[in-house]
Amino acid sequence: MNGEFVLEQPWWLALLPLVALCAVRGALVRATLRFAPAALVGGSRVRPPLRARLVALPVVLRAAAVAAAILALAGPGVRATVAPETLGVDVLLCLDTSSSMTATDVGGSDSRLDVAKRSAAAFVAARPDDRVGLVTFARYSDVACPATRDHAALLSSLGRVAAVEQEGDEDLTGIGAAVARAADRLRSAPSASRVVVLLTDGVESVADAAAPDEIDLEEASRVARALDVRVHAIALGGGDDEDLRRGREELQRLATSTGGTFARAGDARTLDAVYAEIDRLEREPVAEPRRVVEDRVAPFLGAALGLAVLAELLAATLFRSVP
């Protein structure tokens, strides 16, 4: 960690002058005792050996050990700014693949599904730090890709999505079950923000009076709320018959009850704008950087111990005969 060196309890440094004074006094005493016999040789200039010249070294080392210990007591550390950890947002795209998504009324010659896939891919590209997954649905829902930061894998799965066969066994629209499944997949998501982006061009056609055990949009809303998942619902395509109006009202209730939004998209440009607005709304809050101090006591304690051991070793060996 790079940053500013600080002492959290600097008042301990007031002891350093006392340590220095004791060290100087001790060194002078040892030097005086060692060279006192020089007066007996008539003041002759005799150059003392190296061992004699370093006679005060144990005292100096002991003083340095005490000084290092005092610095450790002063609480040395490095103060730095730490960027907050980003958990991102967990998003599951919930994409309708019923046969009606093959209609070409929203993007020239492109089908509704092609337009939806292209807009979804742009939405994913704008969120590199988030885990994004994909659930597709018609009669049944399928987790095509779990929420992941491997967006290349997600986009590969998205590219392979195709509409179900027209009037086949799967050609129904089970919106409620798909939303409930997507919300449940976000149950264990690590982030605090969990989002389902639902896109459909139809109305719930699986859960009705003839199928009371199926999950309708009201039940899906309860599941999402219980798991703290917001649902943004997009109704793609034109048309304004009674069934479509009813379906859009149900989608709007689903979205608003979970804290999400509802929007209609009649063409590719509008759909891009809807995704862009959802992208703007679902940004993770920016946390303030933290100021932290990383402890640096250990090196000073280690230095104090090493200097003390060295001083005692020298005093017990090389300078053992010196008072």
Side-chain angles (χ1 to χ4, degrees):
M1 180 189 296
N2 297 320
E4 173 191 5
F5 183 81
V6 296
L7 295 173
E8 296 192 298
Q9 302 181 63
W11 50 85
W12 283 100
L13 299 184
L15 295 176
L16 288 179
L18 180 60
V19 174
L21 181 62
C22 292
V24 171
R25 183 178 180 279
L28 289 175
V29 168
R30 288 179 67 85
T32 301
L33 290 172
R34 178 67 184 83
F35 295 116
L40 301 178
V41 296
S44 60
R45 300 174 64 86
V46 178
R47 181 175 177 81
L50 179 62
R51 175 172 173 269
R53 294 200 302 271
L54 296 177
V55 68
L57 183 58
V59 174
V60 173
L61 291 174
R62 289 182 185 121
V66 174
I70 290 173
L71 286 171
L73 290 171
V78 175
R79 180 182 293 135
T81 300
V82 178
E85 182 182 2
T86 301
L87 294 177
V89 179
D90 283 86
V91 182
L92 274 181
L93 304 174
C94 202
L95 183 59
D96 188 346
T97 58
S98 57
S99 66
S100 58
M101 290 288 286
T102 60
T104 56
D105 59 344
V106 297
S109 60
D110 291 332
S111 69
R112 293 176 179 178
L113 185 58
D114 289 336
V115 170
K117 288 163 60 175
R118 194 161 53 241
S119 292
F123 174 80
V124 172
R127 308 183 68 86
D129 297 325
D130 295 327
R131 284 169 291 273
V132 187
L134 174 64
V135 172
T136 60
F137 68 95
R139 168 64 180 88
Y140 306 105
S141 59
D142 179 58
V143 180
C145 181
T148 178
R149 284 199 176 100
D150 185 355
H151 291 178
L154 168 65
L155 293 176
S156 177
S157 297
L158 181 63
R160 293 193 297 270
V161 171
V164 300
E165 182 183 355
Q166 187 173 9
E167 297 183 1
D169 292 340
E170 291 190 51
D171 195 17
L172 293 171
T173 309
I175 300 173
V179 170
R181 184 170 189 180
D184 186 65
R185 292 289 299 194
L186 293 172
R187 179 192 298 270
S188 58
S191 69
S193 189
R194 306 176 183 91
V195 177
V196 169
V197 180
L198 165 68
L199 184 144
T200 181
D201 67 344
V203 299
E204 174 67 51
S205 60
V206 174
D208 55 25
D213 294 333
E214 297 289 349
I215 300 175
D216 60 14
L217 271 66
E218 185 176 348
E219 178 62 21
S221 172
R222 286 195 290 269
V223 171
R225 293 197 305 272
L227 297 175
D228 195 23
V229 173
R230 284 185 301 282
V231 179
H232 296 285
I234 306 171
L236 181 64
D240 201 33
D241 61 38
E242 184 178 349
D243 284 343
L244 285 174
R245 286 196 299 271
R246 175 179 56 81
R248 289 166 187 155
E249 290 172 359
E250 291 177 348
L251 289 175
Q252 185 165 19
R253 285 196 297 271
L254 166 67
T256 56
S257 69
T258 63
T261 59
F262 168 77
R264 289 182 60 180
D267 54 53
R269 174 180 288 185
T270 304
L271 182 59
D272 287 340
V274 170
Y275 269 113
E277 177 62 13
I278 295 172
D279 176 62
R280 185 188 67 80
L281 290 173
E282 292 298 345
R283 287 291 171 180
E284 184 180 28
V286 178
E288 292 295 325
R290 295 180 296 116
R291 297 281 286 175
V292 299
V293 175
E294 186 174 285
D295 189 283
R296 288 290 190 271
V297 172
F300 289 93
L301 286 178
L305 179 61
L307 289 168
V309 169
L310 180 60
E312 297 310 315
L313 277 175
L314 291 175
T317 55
L318 188 62
F319 299 104
R320 182 173 57 185
S321 62
V322 180

